[in-house]
Amino acid sequence: MARFTFKGGIHPNDGKALSKDKPIRQVLPKGELVYPLSQHIGAPAHPVVEKGDRVLAGQRIAEATGFVSANIHASVSGTVKGIEKRLTVTGTMADAIVIENDGLYEEIEWPKRKPLEEMTSQEIIDIVKEAGIVGMGGAGFPTHVKLSPKEPEKIDYVIANCAECEPYLTSDYRRMMENPELVVGGLRAAVKIFPNAKGIIAVEDNKKDAIQLLKEAAKDDPNIQVVSLKTKYPQGAERMLIYAVTGRKINSSMLPADAGCVVNNCDTIVAIYRAVYEGKPLMHRIVTVTGDAVADPQNFHVCTGTNYRELIDEAGGFKQEPEKIVSGGPMMGFALYNLDVPVTKTSSALLCMTKDEVSEYEETACINCGRCVEVCPEHLIPSHLADYANRHQEDRFEKANGMECCECGCCSFICPARRQLTQSIKSMRKIVLANRRKK
């Protein structure tokens, strides 16, 4: 494993200095909490509570409705106000459970866990499933599914994705700095599921202090290795990460398990620790609130269901009215037009910028400079793919391997003509996938 990077990628201003040195601070919600039933890839969860029910923190309020689905748990104690349509970060209205916080934060009695050494692989997977853990880096794929490949004996590596290559985000960095033992402990639990696997904690080399702390925490476990990745975007993308640390390649038709790997985000690994060692479900996460419009950028430990507007207030409000607000990072996040949306399991950051630079750019004709080709981590020709997408040439788009695009945004970032290449390609990929389902 001598290669710790990939060909391509970009080096945007990372903006991490705004919040990277701000310790995690707990924030308790003030108003009602909203729990969308779709906080994950797959089938929406089904409510198991009704209007008027009193619930406790940690209580399951919605259950998975299939193998690719996830349970949802209350993060506070209170009364169910109803099950109704609420706005989400993607701008859609979705069914959600609304709970009125009683301010008492009474919890269920956490189940006693036996030592990890005495647990079977299936017991660990069942615990993760019951805890409702999903990919917390943004994808939201149910973690118990990732941990259940058809041939577990063929998994060689369980990788903790601690790269955090997206600009401005510092939640994973703070987690590594403040709780390295939880990262190592959670990875140890995940590795135990697979008889032949070793654990890898992959961190970009701009986080040398975190790397040192993780190495110290893992020094007594020969089965876990901390590797230093070259700092660039999108180093933390699953395909790029697997190639960087193992030299193995996967494409859009493959799963990481096909390359003998299982990859989980840093905070997902910590959620596994909480579930396996402490009996606690996924009901909190760290959210970075940052950007040049925020008075006091912070990293908050937040109850899922908390309103985004409350987080802005906790960060001192706006020192200048933002032109652009993004849920997530600037490269792959969702632009918001309304702050009255809830924190979900996949909410990593709230980015507030005084200028919407992208909207100020005027798109011009392609000058065939080839820069988009140079930075594309999938070795595609984004300018051609965008042309096919804009002309609705689906066949040519597929023949040019358009479905291999990982939608990282590198091509749009680097394009001197300011063409919105990623957006065009992303739209066409959705059309292709929809047409495939129809067939």
mmCIF file with all atom_site columns, all heavy atoms in Angstrom, residues 7-8 110 119 123 151 163 209 278 323 335 388 407 424 426:
data_model
loop_
_atom_site.group_PDB
_atom_site.id
_atom_site.type_symbol
_atom_site.label_atom_id
_atom_site.label_alt_id
_atom_site.label_comp_id
_atom_site.label_asym_id
_atom_site.label_entity_id
_atom_site.label_seq_id
_atom_site.pdbx_PDB_ins_code
_atom_site.Cartn_x
_atom_site.Cartn_y
_atom_site.Cartn_z
_atom_site.occupancy
_atom_site.B_iso_or_equiv
_atom_site.pdbx_formal_charge
_atom_site.auth_seq_id
_atom_site.auth_comp_id
_atom_site.auth_asym_id
_atom_site.auth_atom_id
_atom_site.pdbx_PDB_model_num
ATOM 1   N N   . LYS A 1 7   ? -4.818  10.312  -9.240  1.00 0.00 ? 7   LYS A N   1
ATOM 2   C CA  . LYS A 1 7   ? -4.529  11.274  -10.294 1.00 0.00 ? 7   LYS A CA  1
ATOM 3   C C   . LYS A 1 7   ? -5.718  12.205  -10.496 1.00 0.00 ? 7   LYS A C   1
ATOM 4   O O   . LYS A 1 7   ? -6.856  11.755  -10.596 1.00 0.00 ? 7   LYS A O   1
ATOM 5   C CB  . LYS A 1 7   ? -4.202  10.556  -11.605 1.00 0.00 ? 7   LYS A CB  1
ATOM 6   C CG  . LYS A 1 7   ? -3.763  11.490  -12.721 1.00 0.00 ? 7   LYS A CG  1
ATOM 7   C CD  . LYS A 1 7   ? -3.419  10.726  -13.981 1.00 0.00 ? 7   LYS A CD  1
ATOM 8   C CE  . LYS A 1 7   ? -3.009  11.677  -15.108 1.00 0.00 ? 7   LYS A CE  1
ATOM 9   N NZ  . LYS A 1 7   ? -2.677  10.959  -16.357 1.00 0.00 ? 7   LYS A NZ  1
ATOM 10  N N   . GLY A 1 8   ? -5.444  13.502  -10.586 1.00 0.00 ? 8   GLY A N   1
ATOM 11  C CA  . GLY A 1 8   ? -6.510  14.485  -10.756 1.00 0.00 ? 8   GLY A CA  1
ATOM 12  C C   . GLY A 1 8   ? -6.790  15.212  -9.457  1.00 0.00 ? 8   GLY A C   1
ATOM 13  O O   . GLY A 1 8   ? -5.993  15.199  -8.525  1.00 0.00 ? 8   GLY A O   1
ATOM 14  N N   . TRP A 1 110 ? -30.484 2.452   28.797  1.00 0.00 ? 110 TRP A N   1
ATOM 15  C CA  . TRP A 1 110 ? -29.650 1.911   27.728  1.00 0.00 ? 110 TRP A CA  1
ATOM 16  C C   . TRP A 1 110 ? -29.363 0.440   27.961  1.00 0.00 ? 110 TRP A C   1
ATOM 17  O O   . TRP A 1 110 ? -29.078 0.020   29.092  1.00 0.00 ? 110 TRP A O   1
ATOM 18  C CB  . TRP A 1 110 ? -28.324 2.682   27.638  1.00 0.00 ? 110 TRP A CB  1
ATOM 19  C CG  . TRP A 1 110 ? -28.505 4.162   27.512  1.00 0.00 ? 110 TRP A CG  1
ATOM 20  C CD1 . TRP A 1 110 ? -28.099 5.110   28.391  1.00 0.00 ? 110 TRP A CD1 1
ATOM 21  C CD2 . TRP A 1 110 ? -29.158 4.854   26.448  1.00 0.00 ? 110 TRP A CD2 1
ATOM 22  N NE1 . TRP A 1 110 ? -28.451 6.365   27.948  1.00 0.00 ? 110 TRP A NE1 1
ATOM 23  C CE2 . TRP A 1 110 ? -29.099 6.239   26.750  1.00 0.00 ? 110 TRP A CE2 1
ATOM 24  C CE3 . TRP A 1 110 ? -29.778 4.453   25.267  1.00 0.00 ? 110 TRP A CE3 1
ATOM 25  C CZ2 . TRP A 1 110 ? -29.643 7.210   25.923  1.00 0.00 ? 110 TRP A CZ2 1
ATOM 26  C CZ3 . TRP A 1 110 ? -30.320 5.413   24.434  1.00 0.00 ? 110 TRP A CZ3 1
ATOM 27  C CH2 . TRP A 1 110 ? -30.250 6.776   24.764  1.00 0.00 ? 110 TRP A CH2 1
ATOM 28  N N   . MET A 1 119 ? -18.811 -10.800 21.344  1.00 0.00 ? 119 MET A N   1
ATOM 29  C CA  . MET A 1 119 ? -19.866 -10.583 20.356  1.00 0.00 ? 119 MET A CA  1
ATOM 30  C C   . MET A 1 119 ? -19.557 -11.320 19.062  1.00 0.00 ? 119 MET A C   1
ATOM 31  O O   . MET A 1 119 ? -18.397 -11.398 18.633  1.00 0.00 ? 119 MET A O   1
ATOM 32  C CB  . MET A 1 119 ? -20.025 -9.087  20.052  1.00 0.00 ? 119 MET A CB  1
ATOM 33  C CG  . MET A 1 119 ? -20.583 -8.263  21.171  1.00 0.00 ? 119 MET A CG  1
ATOM 34  S SD  . MET A 1 119 ? -20.888 -6.559  20.614  1.00 0.00 ? 119 MET A SD  1
ATOM 35  C CE  . MET A 1 119 ? -21.392 -5.799  22.162  1.00 0.00 ? 119 MET A CE  1
ATOM 36  N N   . GLU A 1 123 ? -24.199 -10.251 15.737  1.00 0.00 ? 123 GLU A N   1
ATOM 37  C CA  . GLU A 1 123 ? -24.661 -9.427  16.865  1.00 0.00 ? 123 GLU A CA  1
ATOM 38  C C   . GLU A 1 123 ? -24.258 -7.972  16.672  1.00 0.00 ? 123 GLU A C   1
ATOM 39  O O   . GLU A 1 123 ? -25.051 -7.056  16.942  1.00 0.00 ? 123 GLU A O   1
ATOM 40  C CB  . GLU A 1 123 ? -24.087 -9.966  18.176  1.00 0.00 ? 123 GLU A CB  1
ATOM 41  C CG  . GLU A 1 123 ? -24.764 -11.230 18.670  1.00 0.00 ? 123 GLU A CG  1
ATOM 42  C CD  . GLU A 1 123 ? -24.115 -11.801 19.919  1.00 0.00 ? 123 GLU A CD  1
ATOM 43  O OE1 . GLU A 1 123 ? -22.875 -11.675 20.050  1.00 0.00 ? 123 GLU A OE1 1
ATOM 44  O OE2 . GLU A 1 123 ? -24.831 -12.377 20.757  1.00 0.00 ? 123 GLU A OE2 1
ATOM 45  N N   . GLU A 1 151 ? -19.973 -11.920 0.831   1.00 0.00 ? 151 GLU A N   1
ATOM 46  C CA  . GLU A 1 151 ? -18.825 -12.760 1.182   1.00 0.00 ? 151 GLU A CA  1
ATOM 47  C C   . GLU A 1 151 ? -17.911 -12.007 2.148   1.00 0.00 ? 151 GLU A C   1
ATOM 48  O O   . GLU A 1 151 ? -16.884 -11.451 1.746   1.00 0.00 ? 151 GLU A O   1
ATOM 49  C CB  . GLU A 1 151 ? -18.061 -13.156 -0.083  1.00 0.00 ? 151 GLU A CB  1
ATOM 50  C CG  . GLU A 1 151 ? -18.900 -13.975 -1.061  1.00 0.00 ? 151 GLU A CG  1
ATOM 51  C CD  . GLU A 1 151 ? -18.170 -14.270 -2.358  1.00 0.00 ? 151 GLU A CD  1
ATOM 52  O OE1 . GLU A 1 151 ? -17.837 -13.292 -3.082  1.00 0.00 ? 151 GLU A OE1 1
ATOM 53  O OE2 . GLU A 1 151 ? -17.920 -15.449 -2.630  1.00 0.00 ? 151 GLU A OE2 1
ATOM 54  N N   . ALA A 1 163 ? -10.707 11.737  5.841   1.00 0.00 ? 163 ALA A N   1
ATOM 55  C CA  . ALA A 1 163 ? -10.025 12.698  4.976   1.00 0.00 ? 163 ALA A CA  1
ATOM 56  C C   . ALA A 1 163 ? -10.573 14.109  5.163   1.00 0.00 ? 163 ALA A C   1
ATOM 57  O O   . ALA A 1 163 ? -9.816  15.072  5.271   1.00 0.00 ? 163 ALA A O   1
ATOM 58  C CB  . ALA A 1 163 ? -10.166 12.279  3.512   1.00 0.00 ? 163 ALA A CB  1
ATOM 59  N N   . ASP A 1 209 ? -1.708  16.892  13.458  1.00 0.00 ? 209 ASP A N   1
ATOM 60  C CA  . ASP A 1 209 ? -1.964  16.731  14.895  1.00 0.00 ? 209 ASP A CA  1
ATOM 61  C C   . ASP A 1 209 ? -2.994  15.630  15.146  1.00 0.00 ? 209 ASP A C   1
ATOM 62  O O   . ASP A 1 209 ? -2.844  14.827  16.078  1.00 0.00 ? 209 ASP A O   1
ATOM 63  C CB  . ASP A 1 209 ? -2.417  18.051  15.523  1.00 0.00 ? 209 ASP A CB  1
ATOM 64  C CG  . ASP A 1 209 ? -3.462  18.799  14.695  1.00 0.00 ? 209 ASP A CG  1
ATOM 65  O OD1 . ASP A 1 209 ? -3.888  18.277  13.641  1.00 0.00 ? 209 ASP A OD1 1
ATOM 66  O OD2 . ASP A 1 209 ? -3.858  19.912  15.099  1.00 0.00 ? 209 ASP A OD2 1
ATOM 67  N N   . GLU A 1 278 ? -21.895 1.321   24.140  1.00 0.00 ? 278 GLU A N   1
ATOM 68  C CA  . GLU A 1 278 ? -22.716 2.044   25.105  1.00 0.00 ? 278 GLU A CA  1
ATOM 69  C C   . GLU A 1 278 ? -24.213 1.782   24.962  1.00 0.00 ? 278 GLU A C   1
ATOM 70  O O   . GLU A 1 278 ? -25.002 2.210   25.803  1.00 0.00 ? 278 GLU A O   1
ATOM 71  C CB  . GLU A 1 278 ? -22.460 3.555   24.975  1.00 0.00 ? 278 GLU A CB  1
ATOM 72  C CG  . GLU A 1 278 ? -21.003 3.936   25.222  1.00 0.00 ? 278 GLU A CG  1
ATOM 73  C CD  . GLU A 1 278 ? -20.738 5.414   24.970  1.00 0.00 ? 278 GLU A CD  1
ATOM 74  O OE1 . GLU A 1 278 ? -21.678 6.118   24.527  1.00 0.00 ? 278 GLU A OE1 1
ATOM 75  O OE2 . GLU A 1 278 ? -19.612 5.867   25.223  1.00 0.00 ? 278 GLU A OE2 1
ATOM 76  N N   . GLU A 1 323 ? -25.496 35.943  1.058   1.00 0.00 ? 323 GLU A N   1
ATOM 77  C CA  . GLU A 1 323 ? -26.108 35.774  -0.255  1.00 0.00 ? 323 GLU A CA  1
ATOM 78  C C   . GLU A 1 323 ? -26.324 34.299  -0.574  1.00 0.00 ? 323 GLU A C   1
ATOM 79  O O   . GLU A 1 323 ? -27.188 33.956  -1.366  1.00 0.00 ? 323 GLU A O   1
ATOM 80  C CB  . GLU A 1 323 ? -25.223 36.399  -1.347  1.00 0.00 ? 323 GLU A CB  1
ATOM 81  C CG  . GLU A 1 323 ? -25.265 37.906  -1.404  1.00 0.00 ? 323 GLU A CG  1
ATOM 82  C CD  . GLU A 1 323 ? -24.539 38.445  -2.628  1.00 0.00 ? 323 GLU A CD  1
ATOM 83  O OE1 . GLU A 1 323 ? -24.029 37.628  -3.447  1.00 0.00 ? 323 GLU A OE1 1
ATOM 84  O OE2 . GLU A 1 323 ? -24.476 39.677  -2.776  1.00 0.00 ? 323 GLU A OE2 1
ATOM 85  N N   . ALA A 1 335 ? -27.826 24.030  -1.731  1.00 0.00 ? 335 ALA A N   1
ATOM 86  C CA  . ALA A 1 335 ? -28.146 25.434  -1.458  1.00 0.00 ? 335 ALA A CA  1
ATOM 87  C C   . ALA A 1 335 ? -29.518 25.526  -0.802  1.00 0.00 ? 335 ALA A C   1
ATOM 88  O O   . ALA A 1 335 ? -30.462 24.839  -1.212  1.00 0.00 ? 335 ALA A O   1
ATOM 89  C CB  . ALA A 1 335 ? -28.120 26.235  -2.751  1.00 0.00 ? 335 ALA A CB  1
ATOM 90  N N   . TYR A 1 388 ? -23.093 16.688  -24.483 1.00 0.00 ? 388 TYR A N   1
ATOM 91  C CA  . TYR A 1 388 ? -24.071 15.630  -24.763 1.00 0.00 ? 388 TYR A CA  1
ATOM 92  C C   . TYR A 1 388 ? -25.316 15.795  -23.887 1.00 0.00 ? 388 TYR A C   1
ATOM 93  O O   . TYR A 1 388 ? -26.442 15.598  -24.348 1.00 0.00 ? 388 TYR A O   1
ATOM 94  C CB  . TYR A 1 388 ? -23.452 14.254  -24.513 1.00 0.00 ? 388 TYR A CB  1
ATOM 95  C CG  . TYR A 1 388 ? -22.234 13.950  -25.344 1.00 0.00 ? 388 TYR A CG  1
ATOM 96  C CD1 . TYR A 1 388 ? -21.205 13.155  -24.841 1.00 0.00 ? 388 TYR A CD1 1
ATOM 97  C CD2 . TYR A 1 388 ? -22.095 14.448  -26.635 1.00 0.00 ? 388 TYR A CD2 1
ATOM 98  C CE1 . TYR A 1 388 ? -20.077 12.869  -25.600 1.00 0.00 ? 388 TYR A CE1 1
ATOM 99  C CE2 . TYR A 1 388 ? -20.966 14.172  -27.397 1.00 0.00 ? 388 TYR A CE2 1
ATOM 100 C CZ  . TYR A 1 388 ? -19.954 13.383  -26.871 1.00 0.00 ? 388 TYR A CZ  1
ATOM 101 O OH  . TYR A 1 388 ? -18.850 13.109  -27.623 1.00 0.00 ? 388 TYR A OH  1
ATOM 102 N N   . GLU A 1 407 ? -19.653 13.316  -9.639  1.00 0.00 ? 407 GLU A N   1
ATOM 103 C CA  . GLU A 1 407 ? -20.313 14.586  -9.328  1.00 0.00 ? 407 GLU A CA  1
ATOM 104 C C   . GLU A 1 407 ? -19.559 15.392  -8.269  1.00 0.00 ? 407 GLU A C   1
ATOM 105 O O   . GLU A 1 407 ? -20.157 16.066  -7.439  1.00 0.00 ? 407 GLU A O   1
ATOM 106 C CB  . GLU A 1 407 ? -21.759 14.346  -8.908  1.00 0.00 ? 407 GLU A CB  1
ATOM 107 C CG  . GLU A 1 407 ? -22.585 13.616  -9.962  1.00 0.00 ? 407 GLU A CG  1
ATOM 108 C CD  . GLU A 1 407 ? -24.012 13.324  -9.520  1.00 0.00 ? 407 GLU A CD  1
ATOM 109 O OE1 . GLU A 1 407 ? -24.401 13.798  -8.435  1.00 0.00 ? 407 GLU A OE1 1
ATOM 110 O OE2 . GLU A 1 407 ? -24.718 12.617  -10.251 1.00 0.00 ? 407 GLU A OE2 1
ATOM 111 N N   . SER A 1 424 ? -24.803 19.978  -15.437 1.00 0.00 ? 424 SER A N   1
ATOM 112 C CA  . SER A 1 424 ? -25.334 19.374  -16.663 1.00 0.00 ? 424 SER A CA  1
ATOM 113 C C   . SER A 1 424 ? -25.175 17.857  -16.645 1.00 0.00 ? 424 SER A C   1
ATOM 114 O O   . SER A 1 424 ? -26.097 17.106  -16.974 1.00 0.00 ? 424 SER A O   1
ATOM 115 C CB  . SER A 1 424 ? -24.614 19.954  -17.889 1.00 0.00 ? 424 SER A CB  1
ATOM 116 O OG  . SER A 1 424 ? -24.853 21.338  -18.008 1.00 0.00 ? 424 SER A OG  1
ATOM 117 N N   . LYS A 1 426 ? -24.760 15.929  -14.011 1.00 0.00 ? 426 LYS A N   1
ATOM 118 C CA  . LYS A 1 426 ? -25.588 15.364  -12.946 1.00 0.00 ? 426 LYS A CA  1
ATOM 119 C C   . LYS A 1 426 ? -27.031 15.198  -13.404 1.00 0.00 ? 426 LYS A C   1
ATOM 120 O O   . LYS A 1 426 ? -27.667 14.166  -13.140 1.00 0.00 ? 426 LYS A O   1
ATOM 121 C CB  . LYS A 1 426 ? -25.521 16.274  -11.708 1.00 0.00 ? 426 LYS A CB  1
ATOM 122 C CG  . LYS A 1 426 ? -26.255 15.754  -10.492 1.00 0.00 ? 426 LYS A CG  1
ATOM 123 C CD  . LYS A 1 426 ? -26.019 16.684  -9.309  1.00 0.00 ? 426 LYS A CD  1
ATOM 124 C CE  . LYS A 1 426 ? -26.695 16.155  -8.052  1.00 0.00 ? 426 LYS A CE  1
ATOM 125 N NZ  . LYS A 1 426 ? -26.428 17.041  -6.876  1.00 0.00 ? 426 LYS A NZ  1
#
